[in-house]
Amino acid sequence: SGRSGDDGGAPRPLYMDVQATPPLDPRVLDSMLPYLTAYYGNPHSRTHAYGWESEAAMEKARQQVADLIGADSREIIFTSGATESNNMAIKGVARFYKSRKKHIITTQTEHKCVLDSCRSLETEGFRVTYLPVKKNGLIDLKELEAAFQPDTSLVSVMTVNNEIGVKQPIHEIGEICRARKVFFHTDAAQAIGKIPMDVNNMKIDLMSISGHKIYGPKGVGALYVRRRPRVRLEPLQSGGGQERGLRSGTVPTPLAVGLGAACEVAQQEMEYDHKRISQLAERLVTKIMSEVPDVVMNGDREHRYPGCINLSFAYVEGESLLMALKDVALSSGSACTSASLEPSYVLRAIGTDEDLAHSSIRFGIGRFTTEEEVDYTVQKCIQHVKRLREMSPLWEMVQDGIDLKSIKWTQH
């Protein structure tokens, strides 16, 4: 699995961080190569064959993306990735309807780019409701219903959470929004190609898609924008008016082709991948939990995407465990916030104790993960958790039956 170092040095760790990004599927690379070399025309050049062949490739890719989510190809806008798609959807809808509607609803566990887009709208005079989530990471639909105001323009709730893998009740949220004639946006970066998504059946009006989360290239994504009932956006990027005027700039043909191919492969393999990944995830969790006491699985056990597993190992510092597991590429929380030592805001939102939040590790299982890799990770994980606990005075106290909550710690 490509573990040898390029410099002939130490082997690279095995990869268990697919939520951050999985590898490129070789079939996707094959589809892209011709457009990086022989077919280099600008897809927006209408006067010669170079432009036409690139345009045809771009439109085929647009159809492949649309097919994966049950949309019309005219509803697909190519972007640079899900961060841009989320910014476009949230700011675009808010600003277009701002003369009449000034309120937005989202959740506290969204991806940072959604929360930051909402924060920036608050400085423009919009009001935002940040819905809390229950202990299991899911929103309470009653709370959602109570949050609507007469001037609510948009609800934005992610489909699958990138840190704890929980799957929100998208179908029900879509029904609630449609009944109130409020647009519904979902950040589906971690869901697309992994679980079935249908924009009409789920009554989704805007959906953000990322290329590199589905074994496609980095630097490309898409935004689905519904035509009926029509969603209007104010564009973020001005220019030559490409992508229905919503996203100016030359569409990068090789990247768009890669996104399309990744969507097609995902559609063909979704059922097989899901079954295989579920079995590997079950194997990982069962083996760890049977060998190690005091392990908590974060997020709902049922309503989830199985490939994203977030475990807290009580009395073990997550960072120390990551360091110890240096021959496995893992993370604590998301790649976007791993530079800060703050515990994850997603874990905080589900009410995880500060110390447990600091002891959490995210395991990612993907299309190319093998059973051997899972077993190796499990074995190393068990070994190091036991070792680190033996060094921990807290663990010793707990073994002696002392309730840590009852201790008065003095500050020296």
Side-chain angles (χ1 to χ4, degrees):
S1 60
R3 291 190 56 204
S4 59
D6 300 340
D7 53 0
R12 294 168 72 204
L14 62 87
Y15 194 72
M16 298 286 278
D17 198 19
V18 294
Q19 272 69 42
T21 192
L24 190 67
D25 190 299
R27 292 164 286 192
V28 171
L29 179 62
D30 289 343
S31 73
M32 291 169 65
L33 281 172
Y35 297 93
L36 288 160
T37 50
Y39 304 109
Y40 48 77
N42 183 320
H44 313 291
S45 300
R46 290 286 161 81
T47 54
H48 50 68
Y50 291 85
W52 304 330
E53 64 201 12
S54 289
E55 185 185 24
M58 173 179 82
E59 292 311 323
K60 178 189 171 193
R62 200 186 298 281
Q63 189 62 57
Q64 288 169 314
V65 177
D67 287 345
L68 179 61
I69 60 171
D72 180 309
S73 68
R74 292 170 300 176
E75 300 175 305
I76 302 298
I77 307 292
F78 286 116
T79 68
S80 64
T83 291
E84 186 186 359
S85 299
N86 284 333
N87 273 265
M88 271 175 74
I90 292 164
K91 294 173 181 171
V93 167
R95 289 171 183 161
F96 190 92
Y97 296 97
K98 68 169 181 262
S99 60
R100 294 178 291 119
K101 300 185 163 180
K102 301 285 279 192
H103 180 243
I104 295 158
I105 300 171
T106 187
T107 81
Q108 293 175 4
T109 51
E110 294 298 306
H111 190 276
K112 217 157 181 40
C113 62
V114 167
L115 297 176
D116 279 1
S117 293
C118 290
R119 294 259 183 267
S120 103
L121 287 171
E122 286 181 293
T123 67
E124 294 173 31
F126 291 89
R127 303 184 317 286
V128 182
T129 299
Y130 299 93
L131 291 174
V133 292
K134 298 181 286 195
K135 274 253 182 251
N136 61 2
L138 301 178
I139 64 165
D140 183 332
L141 293 171
K142 295 265 184 298
E143 287 186 16
L144 169 64
E145 290 187 338
F148 282 91
Q149 295 175 15
D151 66 341
T152 305
S153 61
L154 182 74
V155 170
S156 180
V157 178
M158 74 196 322
T159 306
V160 168
N161 186 277
N162 53 312
E163 286 192 36
I164 56 176
V166 297
K167 188 166 101 226
Q168 297 292 350
I170 296 301
H171 209 284
E172 291 79 348
I173 298 169
E175 295 281 357
I176 291 169
C177 293
R178 184 65 55 85
R180 288 174 172 68
K181 293 189 165 54
V182 170
F183 292 131
F184 174 36
H185 165 253
T186 187
D187 169 2
Q190 296 282 353
I192 282 295
K194 300 184 176 77
I195 57 174
M197 298 289 291
D198 183 299
V199 290
N200 294 316
N201 170 19
M202 294 173 154
K203 299 192 168 41
I204 294 166
D205 299 306
L206 302 113
M207 178 195 277
S208 300
I209 295 171
S210 163
H212 77 106
K213 303 287 185 192
I214 54 171
Y215 310 89
K218 294 166 180 63
V220 68
L223 177 64
Y224 157 79
V225 182
R226 180 175 289 285
R227 286 170 70 91
R228 288 195 187 77
R230 192 178 182 82
V231 183
R232 309 291 297 276
L233 309 176
E234 190 178 292
L236 291 183
Q237 191 150 298
S238 323
Q242 293 91 341
E243 298 301 279
R244 300 203 337 241
L246 291 177
R247 205 280 186 187
S248 289
T250 301
V251 172
T253 314
L255 296 180
V257 165
L259 174 62
C263 285
E264 185 168 297
V265 170
Q267 196 166 5
Q268 292 160 356
E269 315 246 317
M270 193 184 308
E271 213 175 313
Y272 173 78
D273 279 350
H274 195 278
K275 203 168 122 190
R276 205 178 144 268
I277 288 168
S278 301
Q279 287 165 347
L280 290 176
E282 186 60 35
R283 185 179 180 100
L284 181 131
V285 174
T286 309
K287 286 192 160 195
I288 288 178
M289 291 202 164
S290 65
E291 289 283 329
V292 183
D294 297 320
V295 180
V296 179
M297 185 168 185
N298 296 305
D300 195 281
R301 267 307 199 30
E302 297 306 306
H303 304 278
R304 65 181 309 106
Y305 167 65
C308 179
I309 302 152
N310 191 308
L311 302 178
S312 289
F313 298 90
Y315 320 111
V316 172
E317 193 66 52
E319 297 299 322
S320 331
L321 185 52
L322 281 182
M323 294 296 192
L325 292 166
K326 59 182 179 297
D327 40 5
V328 185
L330 293 159
S331 74
S332 53
S334 72
C336 327
T337 51
S338 62
S340 70
L341 285 172
E342 277 292 284
S344 143
Y345 64 85
V346 173
L347 294 181
R348 196 178 289 160
I350 60 174
T352 307
D353 279 347
E354 185 97 359
D355 49 354
L356 266 185
H358 274 297
S359 66
S360 76
I361 300 280
R362 182 182 67 183
F363 299 84
I365 294 178
R367 182 180 292 163
F368 302 115
T369 309
T370 65
E371 200 168 275
E372 294 75 43
E373 288 175 321
V374 167
D375 289 349
Y376 181 84
T377 303
V378 165
Q379 172 218 328
K380 286 286 180 199
C381 191
I382 292 168
Q383 176 192 334
H384 288 298
V385 169
K386 288 182 172 169
R387 186 180 61 82
L388 288 165
R389 279 181 177 171
E390 272 156 24
M391 291 158 56
S392 157
L394 296 180
W395 176 249
E396 206 175 319
M397 292 159 82
V398 170
Q399 298 319 105
D400 293 341
I402 298 168
D403 175 12
L404 297 182
K405 294 251 189 299
S406 68
I407 298 173
K408 300 274 182 286
W409 302 100
T410 58
Q411 295 290 324
H412 289 294

